[in-house]
Amino acid sequence: MSHPDLPAEQAYVDRAYAALDEMRDVVSRAANATDQEVAALALEAWSARRLVTYEDAERGLLFGRLDFDDVERPLYVGRRWVQDDEQRQLVVNWQAPAARPFYTATPVDPQRVTLRRRFRTAGRRLTDIADESLDGSMLDGASVGDFLLEELDRSRETRMRDIVATIQADQYRLITHPPDRPLVIQGGPGTGKTAVGLHRASWLLYSHRDTLARLRVLVVGPNRLFMEYVSHVLPALGEHAVEQRAVSELVDGAEPTLAEAPEVTRLKADPRLAEVLARAVELRLESEPEEIYLRLEGEYVRVRAREIAELLRATREREGTNAIARERFRMALVRRFYGAYSETLGGSAVRDGEEIEKALKARGYLARILERAWPTLAPEKLVRALFAQPAFLAEAANGILGEEEQALLRRRGAGWSDADLALLDEAHALVGTPPRRYGHVIVDEAQDLTPMQLRMIRRRAREGGLTLLGDVAQATGAVVYRSWDEVLPHLPHAEEAEIEELRHAYRVPREIMDVALPLLDAIAPNVAAPLSYRRGGSEPLVVRVRAEELLREAYREAARLTREDGLVALIVPDELLEPALADESAYEGLPLLTARGAKGLEFDHVIVVEPALLAEGEQGLRELYVALTRPTKTLVIVHARELPPALRYAP
């Protein structure tokens, strides 16, 4: 039986969409509101961005309503704010303070709410209503829990969707956590860490738009595949003052193309490399100031070498050694010469500062003086020189790295590795242009960042504007941290950081989580196990085959599962990433991933191939834990070897 208020609520939904259409028309006409070309282009770009948010509203503009004990009109909550042509508010957007009780009110703490109503929609059509009374009365209607379970059970898509209609109270509390100090969100598989981080970015931009619209928000993820997966959420929520980058994309113009041995990667992750680079800069920036001696208006104007040396020392103490500091030193040098010119000529001085600088620049004179005092040093050349010149590396690393460690760093030729990017970023901070600093930085899978990569994050975050998301049990980076207390010292304001936890695993059903959880005893005994919110996944299927049939059987299972709704993925050990099959074209488009490459992603159906191989190595069990917790419906394990003892799964 349908809810008795369905027709009346459908009429309100229709009214809201009619107002939305009118607002959309106004935005569409905005680009034609001026004859000036530049202004028209700016308006066109703005309107294009805004129209995206209107299009996404078609997926469900309204998703809830609140009735209050002291307010006559109910409050409708949705993805975006909507008003009618008389400026009356029809829908309040989910980030607004007025919408908070929709996520946080309880019978114990109703927050003046008497009724919380949730809508199930199909496009613009209202299909069902769930009522939750907060004043103790009973109401008929669909179960509130059914709405969340239905959302969790839906088939995955190639891009992540927003969760504004089903944000849970524990998630909302962290989304709206004050941004004045660093926040760490620890959460196991399926607890919604990524969704919390993205919606936190949207909430921050709404609640602190005066500052963050200018300073912007940076969202950092583990790899490009992950960033592509989450890239649509924030634009769909109407947020464009956000940059979304994989950690490998933080250094502009540097593309990682080289693979390195694990021991080299671990060494380059060590913060001692920052000391080596700082020493290398000192060696390459040795100063030999020359005095400035120039004839102007028949008089010789002079700035002695010792004065230049003092200006240099003062600038570096105050500003450092980067390109911005070098430019300030150049400007101070010109000002000092102008002062000497005025003192020497007195009343005969006829040139202003701009003319004096032009005279100094003539025939490259100022450039030569500047180069002698403060040599130009390109960040890329500095790092390459360390790798390619053993004597330079030995001098820079003396007392910091041993001879064997120095030997690991030696390399000739072009190209950069992933670990090199953090060294390049360090070099840019020392002698190049420092990176932009953002009003807030949100980092997903932060437990995988090395100390040197954390320094990259540190340089980009203002004050305490930092949110870290991750799970130390899923740490598979070059450096494995046992707790967040080992991560925080590499970041600003560590002593003020708050560590919060998400415990409820909404994505991974209990049948699948029960397979993976025994691994926690081995990989992270101090981490609390996530609590599965739901049952209903298929019982995991374990298939044992001969070694020569391993991949073929995995692809047979994939072919079977592709006939069902939802996304399918194969997660394989590194050794099996390039399978040689007779007919691979039949599986074109099927994701074939390593456990590390699957970080943060989710699929309906996952085939995990050869857990014994996945479990090998220092971090193998952690990678296996990641692989086993990617599916939302079906887990198939295909193996030829014995299952790892830590798995303790008896099919």
Side-chain angles (χ1 to χ4, degrees), residues 613-626:
L613 265 180
L614 278 170
E616 288 182 349
E618 186 178 347
Q619 300 167 27
L621 289 178
R622 293 172 179 269
E623 294 188 16
L624 179 57
Y625 182 66
V626 171

Side-chain angles (χ1 to χ4, degrees), residues 114-133:
T114 58
L115 173 71
R116 176 164 47 209
R117 173 168 286 181
R118 300 176 191 269
F119 299 143
R120 180 184 289 144
T121 60
R124 297 190 173 198
R125 185 169 61 88
L126 193 60
T127 62
D128 207 350
I129 294 173
D131 283 338
E132 183 182 5
S133 171

Side-chain angles (χ1 to χ4, degrees), residues 62-312:
L62 284 86
F63 51 78
R65 162 183 155 174
L66 293 172
D67 289 11
F68 296 91
D69 58 10
D70 56 353
V71 179
E72 182 177 348
R73 295 180 64 240
L75 181 76
Y76 286 84
V77 181
R79 282 184 166 79
R80 60 160 299 120
W81 164 80
V82 178
Q83 67 179 22
D84 63 17
D85 53 7
E86 296 181 4
Q87 309 300 307
R88 289 176 299 196
Q89 179 180 279
L90 300 180
V91 184
V92 64
N93 46 311
W94 69 274
Q95 307 105 315
R100 175 179 286 270
F102 185 78
Y103 301 106
T104 61
T106 66
V108 175
D109 179 23
Q111 301 171 39
R112 301 172 30 246
V113 176
T114 58
L115 173 71
R116 176 164 47 209
R117 173 168 286 181
R118 300 176 191 269
F119 299 143
R120 180 184 289 144
T121 60
R124 297 190 173 198
R125 185 169 61 88
L126 193 60
T127 62
D128 207 350
I129 294 173
D131 283 338
E132 183 182 5
S133 171
L134 277 74
D135 62 2
S137 63
M138 297 295 292
L139 288 166
D140 295 329
S143 166
V144 174
D146 288 347
F147 279 44
L148 175 58
L149 289 172
E150 182 180 86
E151 174 66 16
L152 295 172
D153 284 339
R154 68 171 176 79
S155 296
R156 303 298 98 179
E157 299 175 357
T158 55
R159 285 182 168 179
M160 187 177 185
R161 289 176 51 172
D162 69 66
I163 61 166
V164 293
T166 56
I167 293 171
Q168 300 301 293
D170 59 338
Q171 297 172 329
Y172 186 83
R173 179 176 63 86
L174 299 180
I175 288 170
T176 59
H177 192 281
D180 56 346
R181 61 184 60 188
L183 173 65
V184 177
I185 300 176
Q186 158 67 33
T191 53
K193 300 181 298 297
T194 297
V196 166
L198 294 171
H199 290 71
R200 177 163 172 75
S202 179
W203 180 84
L204 287 169
L205 284 164
Y206 177 88
S207 303
H208 302 272
R209 193 167 297 278
D210 288 348
T211 55
L212 292 183
R214 174 176 51 87
L215 298 175
R216 301 177 68 84
V217 171
L218 173 65
V219 175
V220 180
N223 54 57
R224 290 178 179 176
L225 181 61
F226 175 87
M227 297 311 297
E228 174 61 26
Y229 173 62
V230 304
S231 63
H232 188 65
V233 174
L234 286 168
L237 292 173
E239 307 301 349
H240 298 279
V242 180
E243 287 188 32
Q244 302 185 68
R245 297 193 181 199
V247 66
S248 62
E249 298 173 317
L250 290 178
V251 182
D252 292 329
E255 179 80 15
T257 58
L258 300 180
E260 290 182 317
E263 59 270 23
V264 178
T265 300
R266 282 193 293 271
L267 177 58
K268 291 180 177 179
D270 195 313
R272 290 181 297 159
L273 268 293
E275 298 179 51
V276 173
L277 283 163
R279 180 86 60 79
V281 168
E282 290 178 8
L283 295 171
R284 288 295 168 96
L285 288 185
E286 288 184 350
S287 180
E288 298 180 4
E290 288 183 0
E291 75 172 3
I292 301 177
Y293 192 66
L294 196 64
R295 187 174 184 180
L296 297 173
E297 281 73 70
E299 297 286 346
Y300 285 98
V301 181
R302 169 182 308 188
V303 178
R304 297 187 184 278
R306 66 174 179 272
E307 295 179 79
I308 296 175
E310 176 57 28
L311 275 177
L312 180 71

